[in-house]
Amino acid sequence: MNDDLRERALGAYLGFAVGDALGATVEFMTPREIKADHGVHRHIIGGGWLRLKAGEVTDDTQMCLVLGESILAHGTWSLTQFAEGMGAWLKSSPVDVGNTCRRGIRRYLVDRSVIGEPSEWDAGNGACIRNLPAILSTLHDGDLFREITLDQAHLTHHNQLSDEATLALGQMVRAVLHGGGMADIQRLALDLAARHREFRFEPYANRSSAYVADTLSTVFHYFFTTDNFKDCLIDVVNQGGDADSTGALAGMLAGSLYGVSAIPQEWMSRLNPAIVKVIHQQVDGLLNWGQGR
Ligand code: MN
């Protein structure tokens, strides 16, 4: 495995967790409320409505770890393995679970179905935020990337905008890990916004909600108007709203582009060491996954 690929893949996953931990403090707050409480929110201090310890992550990172663990459990993709993993996670009393995720996992636990009916109400960001392990494990196979992405997504979110967002973010990280740059990400974002106007990010509508189009517009806006990891994450989480998810996804994009060494040491040293360790293991496992088939 080449060092540059590993550096960028680690940047994506650790960047994701850092963004989750940083953003959770100000989730559901408005920019004005954040300013009143924190000035500019720039330190991993925990708290927020979930009352997290500093350096703890939320459902965003936890669901990624479940997907990664499920992929690594076998040499081939098993949706049932993932559904079982999500069921076990729900029963473990996680700090937070989105409503659509909870409903989909419960449906699986009741009737073992791994896909829900298509629904216009499933356009939250729950499927999109947990897809990074699918990306890292299928860099060598675009068809398999698509298969795992849509499989894992439809367990809880069966919605075209959710699918489009999840696939597009995956294509962006794939492009960067294959040696691309900011221009490639920009082209993919503009393509997505041209197909579905909901994803337009310029001019930015100042909305950071759990609606997947608002989430991505917010992430794109701050990713394209900054030129380094730290500024990108500080700007995106200070927009508030679904700040742990926008922080996580911005951290994933920025971490994949700028590399793990661009993540500020102050933030890395705050992140729960147990999470950092599992992410390292998953990155190595996922990058090598399926190569022997
Ligand atoms: Mn969360």
Side-chain angles (χ1 to χ4, degrees):
M1 187 191 314
N2 80 52
D3 287 348
D4 186 52
L5 172 61
R6 187 163 182 280
E7 152 98 9
R8 286 171 176 243
L10 263 178
Y13 215 149
L14 289 170
F16 184 98
V18 159
D20 185 9
L22 181 71
T25 307
V26 292
E27 187 183 12
F28 299 136
M29 292 172 75
T30 66
R32 187 190 294 247
E33 289 166 346
I34 296 170
K35 203 168 179 193
D37 280 12
H38 301 279
V40 176
H41 172 53
R42 53 169 73 242
H43 301 295
I44 294 183
I45 54 173
W49 76 280
L50 293 172
R51 300 174 188 271
L52 292 182
K53 283 192 208 145
E56 284 308 332
V57 294
T58 77
D59 53 328
D60 305 46
T61 303
Q62 290 172 354
M63 288 198 294
C64 272
L65 294 173
V66 171
L67 179 58
E69 195 177 279
S70 306
I71 292 171
L72 292 169
H74 300 288
T76 54
W77 166 237
S78 162
L79 176 54
T80 306
Q81 177 81 38
F82 174 61
E84 286 291 321
M86 291 292 276
W89 173 69
L90 185 64
K91 288 175 188 167
S92 75
S93 309
V95 287
D96 190 22
V97 187
N99 289 334
T100 310
C101 288
R102 184 188 301 277
R103 194 172 61 232
I105 300 166
R106 280 194 175 149
R107 188 209 61 243
Y108 169 76
L109 291 173
V110 169
D111 68 9
R112 302 286 138 179
S113 61
V114 290
I115 182 168
E117 293 294 323
S119 167
E120 63 173 308
W121 304 108
D122 287 2
N125 58 28
C128 182
I129 53 175
R130 62 177 183 241
N131 201 45
L132 181 56
I135 303 166
L136 299 181
S137 61
T138 59
L139 290 175
H140 56 291
D141 187 337
D143 291 338
L144 189 57
F145 157 68
R146 212 182 145 79
E147 180 190 337
I148 299 181
T149 295
L150 294 179
D151 272 0
Q152 75 80 5
H154 292 171
L155 177 69
T156 56
H157 292 64
H158 197 169
N159 176 279
Q160 189 190 12
L161 289 182
S162 167
D163 289 354
E164 290 271 2
T166 310
L167 288 167
L169 274 179
Q171 298 293 4
M172 290 172 186
V173 174
R174 286 172 63 85
V176 171
L177 293 180
H178 282 131
M182 179 74 96
D184 299 285
I185 299 183
Q186 206 140 21
R187 180 176 46 76
L188 289 160
L190 289 169
D191 285 353
L192 177 66
R195 285 199 306 278
H196 298 280
R197 291 171 56 84
E198 295 90 335
F199 290 102
R200 274 174 311 166
F201 51 94
E202 213 56 70
Y204 175 53
N206 274 295
R207 273 196 305 269
S208 170
S209 74
Y211 173 45
V212 71
D214 288 347
T215 302
L216 262 63
S217 304
T218 300
V219 169
F220 293 155
H221 172 72
Y222 289 111
F223 181 66
F224 294 133
T225 53
T226 53
D227 63 3
N228 64 83
F229 185 93
K230 186 175 185 179
D231 289 346
C232 174
L233 265 73
I234 290 175
D235 284 4
V236 83
V237 300
N238 280 276
Q239 180 67 38
D242 203 350
D244 55 335
S245 297
T246 58
L249 292 176
M252 175 180 83
L253 282 185
S256 68
L257 182 65
Y258 304 122
V260 69
S261 58
I263 302 175
Q265 191 50 41
E266 182 213 324
W267 291 347
M268 275 307 307
S269 62
R270 276 281 180 172
L271 204 55
N272 177 346
I275 299 284
V276 174
K277 188 175 168 201
V278 181
I279 288 177
H280 272 90
Q281 290 166 347
Q282 286 205 358
V283 165
D284 287 339
L286 292 167
L287 290 176
N288 286 308
W289 185 79
Q291 305 282 18
R293 276 176 297 148

